[in-house]
Amino acid sequence: MELRKKIDKLLGNTLIIIMSVMVINVLWQVFTRFIVGTPSSFTDELARYLMIWLGILGAAYVSGRNMHVAIDVLPQRAGTATQRKLKFIVYVLIIIFAILAMVIGGSRLVYITYVLDQQSPALQIPLALVYLAIPLSGLLIIFYKVSDILNME
């Protein structure tokens, strides 16, 4: 459980930093566009990539805190044993999705963009770095859900 708390804190702080950089970036864009008169060339792209990282890592963070959107009509009407079984099934389905779509699919996307040496137009950073958020988030989600399964009551 101690590892989970450390990962929560690290991920939460990372999300705060990403959001802070995004706010500063957008403020800089507004300043250069309306005050200076010549908009900065990299700010749109940086804001887009930061939003991708914020959204995908944020999904892992919310999943770890069990604060994600859920339809809980069926579990509320079921008994405690059935609720536990439903929770287990949902966790397993989330793990399967995270493995197939995020880790395997995301890793393939990262690999393909890395091999093709695709660069972002303005920042000239490898797009593989941008897409790296997908498998990383998938691994975090798997960690959180396996931890949830092991700590089920």
Side-chain angles (χ1 to χ4, degrees):
M1 212 54 174
E2 192 67 33
L3 177 63
R4 184 176 177 137
K5 287 181 183 178
K6 288 180 182 179
I7 290 175
D8 277 345
K9 187 163 180 65
L10 177 67
L11 187 55
N13 289 336
T14 301
L15 291 170
I16 290 169
I17 291 169
I18 291 172
M19 186 69 181
S20 301
V21 171
M22 201 163 92
V23 167
I24 292 168
N25 178 58
V26 170
L27 288 174
W28 177 253
Q29 179 182 26
V30 170
F31 175 77
T32 58
R33 177 171 291 164
F34 293 110
I35 306 299
V36 178
T38 55
S40 183
S41 61
F42 70 90
T43 51
D44 279 343
E45 191 173 284
L46 181 59
R48 186 177 313 117
Y49 296 153
L50 289 173
M51 181 64 85
I52 291 169
W53 273 79
L54 184 72
I56 294 174
L57 287 179
Y61 182 74
V62 168
S63 176
R65 304 290 300 251
N66 286 317
M67 295 173 45
H68 46 76
V69 177
I71 300 172
D72 60 353
V73 175
L74 186 62
Q76 282 183 350
R77 296 177 188 222
T80 55
T82 307
Q83 284 181 356
R84 197 173 312 125
K85 289 176 187 174
L86 285 172
K87 195 180 283 191
F88 178 78
I89 291 168
V90 168
Y91 289 164
V92 169
L93 290 174
I94 290 171
I95 290 170
I96 290 169
F97 173 79
I99 289 170
L100 295 177
M102 299 182 82
V103 176
I104 295 173
S107 297
R108 288 188 61 199
L109 180 62
V110 169
Y111 176 74
I112 290 169
T113 54
Y114 178 76
V115 168
L116 295 176
D117 196 32
Q118 292 181 342
Q119 306 284 323
S120 66
L123 295 171
Q124 290 300 305
I125 60 171
L127 284 179
L129 289 178
V130 176
Y131 298 137
L132 189 62
I134 299 168
L136 178 62
S137 180
L139 290 172
L140 287 168
I141 289 171
I142 292 167
F143 168 76
Y144 282 130
K145 292 306 150 194
V146 167
S147 173
D148 286 342
I149 288 172
L150 294 175
N151 293 320
M152 282 179 73
E153 302 162 356

